[in-house]
Amino acid sequence: MAKKEKTPNKKSNVSAYWLYGLIAVFFISMSYFNNDGMTNDQRINISTFERFLNEDEVERVLVINKSLAQVTIKDDALQTSKHKSARSTDFLGRSNAKGPHYQFEVGNLEIFQNKLEEAKSKGVEFDYDFKTVENRWLDVMLSFLPLILIIGVWIFLMRRMSGGGGGGGGQIFNIGKSKAKLFDEKSNVKVTFKDVAGLEGAKEEVQEIVDFLKNPSKYTFLGGKIPKGALLVGPPGTGKTLLAKAVAGEAKVPFFSLSGSDFVEMFVGVGASRVRDLFKQAKDKSPAIIFIDEIDAVGRARGKSNMTGSNDERENTLNQLLTEMDGFGTDTNVIVLAATNRSDVLDKALMRAGRFDRQIYVDLPDLREREEIFKVHLKPLKVDKQLDISFLAKQTPGFSGADIANVCNESALIAARKTKKKVDRQDFLDAVDRIVGGLEKKSKIITPSEKKTIAFHEAGHATVSWMLEHASPLVKVTIVPRGQSLGAAWYLPEERQIVRTEQMLDEMCATLGGRAAEQIIFGKISTGALSDLVKVTRQARAIVTVYGLNDKIGNITYYDADGQNEFGFTKPYSEDTARQIDEEISKIVEREYKRALALLRKHKKKLTELAEHLLEKEVIFKDDLVTIFGNRPFEKEEIVEEESKSSSAKKTAKST
C-alpha cells in the first residue's frame, strides 16, 4: 500500500501562531515603553522647538539622558489649532493633556543648553531640567537574549529533524523513524530481470528469493524454511544494486530500500530505533523484502579499532540488527537482502547461517557476459549496423557492467562531438582509450629530448613484450600524452583463471623494458618509470609473501588475496624473515631487469628503428611491429585481427 501523506496538526499550528503573536506584542510593547508613548505626529525638530520657545509657548523642557528633550506646552497655547496633535490620545487611549507634548533629539548638549539660557535672558519664562533614566526593559530583554537564542536554535533543529514545521501528526521527535523507501506493485519501478545481463548464477538465486515470497508453500511443503537473508558480495560496478532494483521491479511484495549509512546519526540510540521501526513496518506488511545497500557502514566487526569508544552507537545499531534478523519472534516472512564490496570487514555474527543464509558472489563478467551487457546498453544508442558486439567484448577484459555502460555513453558523446549520425566501431575504441588512459593532451609542452626519451621508453616495453612468450599481446604504442601519462603501451591481456610463475615473471620483465631501454640508449635513467617500478615491486612482493612461489621463503603465505593481514598493524613474520623477504623481492626485480637489458641489447637495432618510427608517427600498431620484428617466434599460428589498428582495452598500461 502506498504511504498516506501526513496532514499538519492544527493544534500545534495554532500554538505556534499564538507564540509568534506574543513575541510580536512583546517587541511592540518594548518599542512603545522605550519611546514613552510618543507617536510620530508628536516628534518635532529643534527649529520647531525654537519657534515655540520664542513665541513663549513652552512651559517646561526635560532633557533625558542628555540626548532626548521632552517639551510641555502652556495650557493657553495648547488650545490653539497648531497644537491639535499634541491634545490627541495615544494608541492605548491615554490622554496627553498634561504633557509632555513633544520630543526631539537635542544634538550637541552644550549648544542646546546655551540656547535655553539665552532665551531665559531675553525674558522668556519656562523651566528646564536634566534627568537620567535607566532602560530596565531593554536590560531585562538583553539578559534573556542568550536563553532565547538557545531555545530558538533547539526548536529549529527539532522541526528540521521532524520533517517540517509542526507536521507529522503532532510527532515532533520522529528522528528515530526509518528512512527506508517503500516500493510495491503501485510503485513505478521499471527495472526487471530482463535488464540484468550476465550474472546468470546470481540472478537465478535472487529470482528464487522472490519466488519464496510469492509461493512459500511450494518450498515449505517438504518441511524446508524460507531463507532469512542473502548477501550480495562483489567488486564495485558489477551489478549488486541493479539486481536489487530488479527484485523491486519483479516482486509483488513490499520492498523496503535504504543504505547502511541511513541508520547512523549523531544522536545516541537513533540507529537502533530506526532498525526496530524498519522491521516493524516490514512485519506489518509481510511478506516483504528489506534491501540494505553498503551494509558495511553499519555491519563492521565489533571491537576493532575502537580506541576511544566512538563506535558505540554503530555497534548498538548492529546489535539491534542482529536481534531483528535472528532473535525471538522472527518467524515472519521478511527476507533481508544486503550488498557490499567489503565482506572481509563484516561482523562474523552477521555472516552466520540463520541471518544471511546465502552469500551470492557477483563477479566481473566474462567474455560471453560482457557481450550480453553490451547488447543491453546499446539498445538506446543509434549504432552502425556493421558493429561487431563480440569484438567490443573482446576489447574490454576486466570491465565491470558499470564500465561497459560508461563506454557506451562515452562513445555516443564522442560520435556527437564529431557530428556523426551513428556510433561506429572507432568511437567505441576511442571511448575505451578515453576511459582507461584519460583524455589526449596534444597541446602539452614536451621538449624534443623528453619526447625522444619517451619514445625509446615505450619502444622498450613493446620490444621486450614482443620477444617474451607469456607477455600480454601488444595492441598499440603511443607517445601522445593521455591523462597523467606521457606515453603508453597498450596490451590485451588473456583472461586467465590462474597465473603461473613464468607468466608473472614475463610480465615483470616487459614492465621493466622501458627503464632498460633508457639505460642502453642514453646510459642514464629518468623518473618516468615510477609507475613501472610500483607495479613490479607489488608483483614481486605478491610472489614472495602471498602466493608462496619463492624457493627460499617457501610455501607460506602471510596475506590474503586482497593483501589484508589478519593481525592488523602487526607484521605476521619476524624481523629476520622480513629481511629475507626484502632480499628476495630485490633479487626478483633485479633479475628481470637484467633479463630485459639482455633482450634489448640483442635487438638494439630493431629497438632504435621502432623508436624512430614512433617519433615519426606518434602512434604505432601491432602490424608495425610485425613489419619490423616479424612474427613472434614462439607463436605457432597467429590470427591477425583487422581491427587491431584502432583497438584498446582495459589493459595493463605501461606508462611513463
Side-chain angles (χ1 to χ4, degrees), residues 116 138 451 537:
L116 295 179
L138 183 60
K451 192 172 184 180
T537 305

Side-chain angles (χ1 to χ4, degrees), residues 31-51:
S31 175
Y32 170 77
F33 286 119
N34 288 338
N35 294 331
D36 289 335
M38 291 289 179
T39 64
N40 289 330
D41 293 338
Q42 295 167 304
R43 295 180 183 275
I44 60 176
N45 54 37
I46 194 169
S47 300
T48 305
F49 167 73
E50 289 179 0
R51 188 173 74 249

Side-chain angles (χ1 to χ4, degrees), residues 277-506:
D277 185 67
L278 171 64
F279 278 86
K280 181 179 180 299
Q281 293 181 38
K283 291 173 185 176
D284 291 342
K285 295 179 179 292
S286 69
I289 298 175
I290 296 174
F291 174 64
I292 305 175
D293 200 4
E294 304 296 346
I295 194 174
D296 52 277
V298 70
R300 285 177 175 266
R302 293 165 291 181
K304 289 186 178 180
S305 302
N306 190 12
M307 304 297 292
T308 61
S310 59
N311 293 329
D312 285 345
E313 172 61 16
R314 181 183 57 77
E315 291 188 2
N316 291 338
T317 305
L318 175 59
N319 292 337
Q320 186 64 42
L321 181 62
L322 296 175
T323 303
E324 294 290 346
M325 288 189 69
D326 189 22
F328 287 99
T330 57
D331 54 346
T332 55
N333 292 334
V334 176
I335 293 181
V336 180
L337 281 179
T340 181
N341 48 32
R342 294 292 310 278
S343 60
D344 55 304
V345 302
L346 295 180
D347 195 276
K348 293 181 179 179
L350 188 65
M351 302 285 287
R352 74 161 175 83
R355 292 196 172 102
F356 285 113
D357 300 284
R358 298 186 175 188
Q359 293 187 32
I360 305 171
Y361 191 73
V362 186
D363 202 357
L364 291 171
D366 57 21
L367 179 63
R368 181 183 54 81
E369 291 174 334
R370 289 199 302 274
E371 189 172 342
E372 293 179 3
I373 295 172
F374 264 111
K375 290 178 181 178
V376 171
H377 292 294
L378 288 176
K379 286 180 181 179
L381 301 184
K382 295 180 179 179
V383 298
D384 190 359
K385 293 181 179 179
Q386 297 180 353
L387 182 66
D388 186 2
I389 299 178
S390 62
F391 169 73
L392 296 179
K394 291 176 182 177
Q395 300 300 307
T396 52
F399 273 49
S400 66
D403 292 329
I404 293 174
N406 194 18
V407 167
C408 294
N409 182 66
E410 193 68 33
S411 64
L413 298 179
I414 291 173
R417 197 178 302 132
K418 297 177 181 178
T419 64
K420 293 182 178 180
K421 294 183 178 180
K422 291 184 178 181
V423 186
D424 57 24
R425 182 185 62 187
Q426 185 60 45
D427 298 323
F428 281 95
L429 298 174
D430 291 342
V432 176
D433 287 348
R434 170 70 177 87
I435 292 170
V436 177
L439 186 66
E440 281 191 359
K441 298 180 179 179
K442 292 186 177 180
S443 60
K444 197 166 189 176
I445 300 175
I446 301 175
T447 63
S449 60
E450 288 177 337
K451 192 172 184 180
K452 186 176 180 181
T453 302
I454 296 168
F456 274 96
H457 184 102
E458 301 304 332
H461 285 311
T463 303
V464 175
S465 64
W466 192 263
M467 298 300 170
L468 296 177
E469 180 179 358
H470 301 292
S472 298
L474 185 80
V475 174
K476 74 175 182 180
V477 185
T478 177
I479 57 172
V480 177
R482 189 182 280 274
Q484 294 183 345
S485 64
L486 300 176
W490 302 83
Y491 299 88
L492 189 62
E494 297 178 8
E495 298 188 50
R496 302 165 178 158
Q497 301 301 319
I498 59 174
V499 182
R500 294 186 174 86
T501 309
E502 58 269 19
Q503 293 170 338
M504 296 183 70
L505 294 177
D506 280 1

